[in-house]
Amino acid sequence: PVRLVESGGGSVQAGGSMRLSCAISGTTYNNNCVAWFRQAPAKEREGVAHILTRGAYTYYPDSVQGRFTISHDNDKNIVFIQMNSLEAEDTAMYYCALRQNCDRVDLLRYLYQSDFHYWGQGTQVTVSS
């Protein structure tokens, strides 16, 4: 089975940086859509970074553009998200999600929670102001 395991969450002061990792196992495809979502209390889950693992194409919403960077280590099959200039509003539970067998055109097609079939358990990020 496909398994996603996040790590790297914790607490940081506003303006600081944090990197989260998502270790992926069990997928038979090398062209997957992988995304980081976050969910703050009483808010909907939103995608903050998307990557196609073949070709490393990426997409970011305006809210994090220029601050967050998603990347994929092909050898270890780990997806990272580097988060810089963190703000209190970035405080949330962060989840890694995967949809198998994606193409480049799918990167902008699959942006919502319902588009992804596999999820990690989440890791908490808390930014203090």
Side-chain angles (χ1 to χ4, degrees), residues 6-87:
E6 301 101 332
S7 60
S11 298
V12 66
Q13 289 192 329
S17 298
M18 185 175 291
R19 188 177 80 159
L20 307 180
S21 301
C22 174
I24 301 169
S25 61
T27 177
T28 57
Y29 297 94
N30 65 358
N31 57 321
N32 299 306
C33 287
V34 181
W36 283 95
F37 284 77
R38 67 185 181 188
Q39 188 166 21
K43 292 190 176 181
E44 292 189 356
R45 192 170 295 190
E46 62 170 345
V48 293
H50 302 256
I51 190 167
L52 178 65
T53 55
R54 186 167 66 191
Y57 299 102
T58 59
Y59 167 77
Y60 307 91
D62 290 343
S63 59
V64 304
Q65 180 74 43
R67 298 192 299 125
F68 290 9
T69 302
I70 190 171
S71 61
H72 177 234
D73 183 322
N74 289 314
D75 293 334
K76 297 180 180 178
N77 208 10
I78 299 175
V79 172
F80 301 98
I81 183 170
Q82 176 69 40
M83 304 183 293
N84 298 327
S85 302
L86 283 163
E87 305 166 352

